[in-house]
Amino acid sequence: MSVWDLARTRLDGLPGGEGRNIAFEAVDRHVAHGNGDRIALRFLSSEGAARDVRYRTLALDSNRFANGLDALGVGSGDVVATLLGRVPELYIAAMGTLKAGAVLCTLFAAFGPEPVRVRLAKGHVKVLVTTARQYRRKIEPLRRELPDLKAVILIDEALPGTCSWQRLMAAASDRWRIPATSPDSLALIHFTSGTTGTPKGAVHVHEAVVAHEATAAAVLTLGPGDLFWCTADPGWVTGVSYGIIAPLVRGATSVIDDGVFEPERWYRILHDQSVTIWYTAPTAIRMLMKAGDALARRHDFRTLRLAASVGEPLDAGAVAWGEAVLGRPFHDTWWQTETGAIMIANLPDAPVCPGAMGRPLAGIEAAVVERCGGPEEAPRIEPAAEAGELALKVGWPSMFRGYVDDEARYRAVFADGYYLTGDRVRRDEDGWYWFLGRADDVIKSAGRLIGPIEVESVLLQHPAVAEAAVIGLPDPTVGEMVKAYVTVKDGIAADEALRRDILAAARSRLGAATAPRDIAFHAALPKTRSGKIMRRLLRARELGLPEGDLSTLDESTPVTTSDSTTED
Ligand code: PRX
């Protein structure tokens, strides 16, 4: 039996053989098995108080939300988005949306108005669940530009033109029958970034829960009795697959902390909550390392069985630090928005290979390839000599099934039965995979993918900016830092005041997590003869690296720096 079929046997399917629904497997199944009293979610406040939500309560509240959506005329295939921090309403809305047969799209609450608008529009979002503060700042001014957005539910206040969460829930029954859900019914949209164009909405189906189940068992060893802490924000794929779905499916208790990162508090959470399994990210690990070993050594982590990491390269030093200071090495895991679940990992029961992403899980066939064929042909692949692009044989249950409204972009990442990941890797003779870098220009900052075009298009909205190019530069803490190169319009002085003004405008439109940290004014940007800005060359020049193949460079645009300073 395949690992996927084995995972299917541990799941129930909807009663009456009516298909498979993620929320049923995550919540109602446990109640049906007599485990409704178990704690599903433990919310921590920044003051340290805890509020527990049991599986039964989550089942009833998500039923109410599904009924509320039904009353709003929302059902199968409609998209419901959340723009919320880690509050109970987010988890109720997530499960209720899936129970209603609607499609869940969680958005990162720290996004500025522009990334939110783009995603709501592109996702054809029909209902948004958010707070009054978020609504006033990010939605209300743009609402006319969002014709698909029929209802906004506010969890804290009632404002004109919105629905009140409290009223919707109070009026709704806590009984709900999940409609028949085919394993291929759409369940989730996760937005991710590419080098070109607007963000891509990766679409996932209910069958993905089979991979959440299997990987949560095999890689994270999650089960009832575990206190699991996934530190990823639910606005990103890790925060949904492993911050919401997988621990519930496995019947564990999730610790959910909505406070800001603070080393001392994080150590206290690990200790006070007796966390058994911890899934975090290299940026956080590096920040803990920076805070010093002495701080860590003031706490004991005796309950911690497993520490794992995802999202960015995890270096051997961080793995060793975990072992020395926490008593557990970090187990690196690799996956992507498009894969929906962990594909490559340092497994829990084998020695860690420090610095390597891991080995493909059972059920996953990985290859190292090069793309071949001309630009007009369908992509084809051939085996790479040593290093190359990581490709995954199609067929795992949580594989994304499309990019919203972008069939061509979807088709372009498949070749000869493989999904092409865009990551460059090396496989050693023992089968370990080592991350080398991205094959494209996307930026990874603090574990979040940032598309250069999304940032550049906001910079171009500034009245003084003529051209803009954005790249990621190595940063010792966040992995990559977003840096912008800008040319100004004729007659405008490229001075410090203007630099600050552009930075501030970018920050307010994009949000601090996505906006550039630094802007350099250039007299011209390097372009190909067809007029495309060569980000690769900007990066090479900034870092003093070999400039590579310059045969397409348009030599008529000399590149000179007129000013460059860094914002702290
Ligand atoms: O470049 C790889 C990097 O993160 C990308 C996927 O980002 P995203 O879709 O936002 O999903 C992040 C969390 C699943 C990958 O293409 N990445 C992910 N894990 C690792 C990694 N890079 C190095 N090592 C990893 N373990």
Side-chain angles (χ1 to χ4, degrees):
M1 198 186 275
S2 77
V3 281
W4 310 126
D5 282 340
L6 206 60
R8 285 183 184 97
T9 66
R10 297 194 295 260
L11 297 170
D12 279 6
L14 283 173
E18 297 214 303
R20 183 176 314 288
N21 183 293
I22 293 175
F24 181 83
E25 304 295 354
V27 186
D28 294 13
R29 183 170 58 101
H30 302 298
V31 181
H33 289 229
N35 295 317
D37 277 342
R38 276 197 198 137
I39 297 167
L41 309 168
R42 169 165 294 172
F43 292 93
L44 304 182
S45 77
S46 26
E47 292 80 45
R51 177 180 158 195
D52 289 344
V53 175
R54 292 178 194 278
Y55 276 90
R56 179 176 303 103
T57 313
L58 186 56
L60 296 176
D61 282 346
S62 53
N63 281 351
R64 278 199 189 94
F65 189 75
N67 274 309
L69 288 179
D70 189 48
L72 290 171
V74 174
S76 185
D78 290 331
V79 182
V80 176
T82 56
L83 183 65
L84 291 170
R86 289 166 235 207
V87 293
E89 289 85 348
L90 169 65
Y91 299 78
I92 296 166
M95 290 300 123
T97 296
L98 295 169
K99 285 184 175 184
V103 181
L104 173 70
C105 175
T106 61
L107 298 176
F108 182 42
F111 272 147
E114 189 59 18
V116 172
R117 182 191 66 77
V118 168
R119 286 160 179 77
L120 291 176
K122 199 142 189 206
H124 304 291
V125 170
K126 196 164 172 185
V127 175
L128 174 69
V129 188
T130 187
T131 62
R133 190 159 172 268
Q134 293 271 11
Y135 179 71
R136 280 202 199 93
R137 179 161 133 59
K138 300 175 189 172
I139 312 298
E140 202 174 22
L142 307 165
R143 198 148 172 196
R144 255 177 299 143
E145 295 168 45
L146 299 166
D148 295 319
L149 187 62
K150 298 289 185 262
V152 176
I153 301 170
L154 299 186
I155 64 164
D156 47 359
E157 254 181 75
L159 293 177
T162 67
C163 311
S164 141
W165 170 278
Q166 283 74 14
R167 239 178 280 147
L168 180 111
M169 295 292 276
S173 157
D174 62 9
R175 296 174 70 86
W176 172 259
R177 185 168 174 275
I178 299 177
T181 317
S182 127
D184 290 324
S185 299
L186 303 191
L188 308 162
I189 296 177
H190 293 299
F191 277 97
T192 183
S193 297
T195 303
T196 55
T198 48
K200 306 174 278 191
V203 175
H204 290 271
V205 297
H206 279 273
E207 187 70 353
V209 71
V210 173
H212 299 141
E213 207 284 342
T215 54
V219 184
L220 299 175
T221 68
L222 271 172
D226 272 315
L227 273 123
F228 176 59
W229 187 22
C230 169
T231 62
D233 189 279
W236 304 92
V237 73
T238 308
V240 174
S241 290
Y242 296 98
I244 305 180
I245 299 170
L248 291 175
V249 170
R250 295 287 301 167
T253 299
S254 273
V255 174
I256 296 160
D257 172 50
D258 201 22
V260 288
F261 174 85
E262 210 253 296
E264 164 87 46
R265 243 192 64 255
W266 273 38
Y267 289 135
R268 249 189 291 125
I269 292 173
L270 286 171
H271 173 267
D272 294 353
Q273 298 302 324
S274 306
V275 170
T276 55
I277 301 167
W278 189 32
Y279 199 23
T280 190
T283 292
I285 297 169
R286 288 189 291 263
M287 283 160 75
L288 292 174
M289 289 168 73
K290 242 164 92 172
D293 295 3
L295 183 64
R297 291 191 201 282
R298 286 214 290 274
H299 302 80
D300 83 71
F301 309 104
R302 245 173 292 169
T303 57
L304 192 65
R305 271 199 293 121
L306 179 70
S309 166
V310 66
E312 315 155 56
L314 182 73
D315 66 280
V319 175
W321 179 83
E323 180 130 49
V325 177
L326 304 175
R328 295 272 165 258
F330 284 101
H331 291 246
D332 196 9
T333 68
W334 177 96
W335 58 293
Q336 295 183 313
T337 301
E338 286 84 346
T339 72
I342 300 166
M343 301 280 108
I344 292 178
N346 279 271
L347 288 174
D349 45 7
V352 168
C353 178
M357 310 190 308
R359 289 195 273 221
L361 305 188
I364 299 298
E365 212 176 294
V368 185
V369 305
E370 288 299 347
R371 300 186 191 208
C372 52
E376 303 303 318
E377 300 166 32
R380 291 191 31 250
I381 50 173
E382 58 193 17
E386 198 183 322
E389 184 170 358
L390 174 63
L392 302 169
K393 185 125 183 230
V394 168
W396 70 97
S398 62
M399 192 185 89
F400 74 129
R401 304 303 163 92
Y403 289 125
V404 175
D405 292 343
D406 213 339
E407 181 59 26
R409 240 166 154 186
Y410 185 63
R411 256 184 284 120
V413 291
F414 291 91
D416 299 331
Y418 280 81
Y419 161 64
L420 306 172
T421 65
D423 277 3
R424 296 199 67 79
V425 299
R426 179 173 68 79
R427 180 180 49 209
D428 69 20
E429 55 278 13
D430 298 318
W432 294 101
Y433 282 72
W434 300 77
F435 183 78
L436 300 176
R438 287 288 305 180
D440 57 19
D441 288 338
V442 291
I443 300 160
K444 247 294 150 117
S445 190
R448 297 187 271 265
L449 270 191
I450 298 174
I453 297 250
E454 191 163 20
V455 181
E456 289 161 5
S457 60
V458 162
L459 293 170
L460 288 169
Q461 288 168 17
H462 191 284
V465 173
E467 291 175 311
V470 165
I471 61 171
L473 290 180
D475 178 275
T477 306
V478 295
E480 283 189 309
M481 169 193 97
V482 179
K483 176 154 183 180
Y485 300 79
V486 157
T487 67
V488 294
K489 289 182 181 154
D490 284 351
I492 289 182
D495 57 18
E496 181 56 21
L498 179 64
R499 201 182 66 83
R500 287 188 173 277
D501 192 59
I502 299 172
L503 275 173
R507 214 168 277 172
S508 88
R509 297 185 85 114
L510 289 164
T514 311
R517 286 283 310 279
D518 183 21
I519 292 181
F521 290 122
H522 277 196
L525 298 176
K527 293 200 207 70
T528 63
R529 279 187 216 102
S530 58
K532 266 178 70 181
I533 294 173
M534 297 176 80
R535 298 192 194 94
R536 174 179 61 81
L537 187 54
L538 276 172
R539 195 177 144 84
R541 287 183 175 164
E542 180 78 51
L543 299 175
L545 298 171
E547 297 193 351
D549 178 8
L550 297 183
S551 58
T552 59
L553 179 68
D554 179 355
E555 300 287 357
S556 66
T557 53
V559 183
T560 48
T561 309
S562 58
D563 171 28
S564 173
T565 35
T566 306
E567 174 98 333
D568 283 318

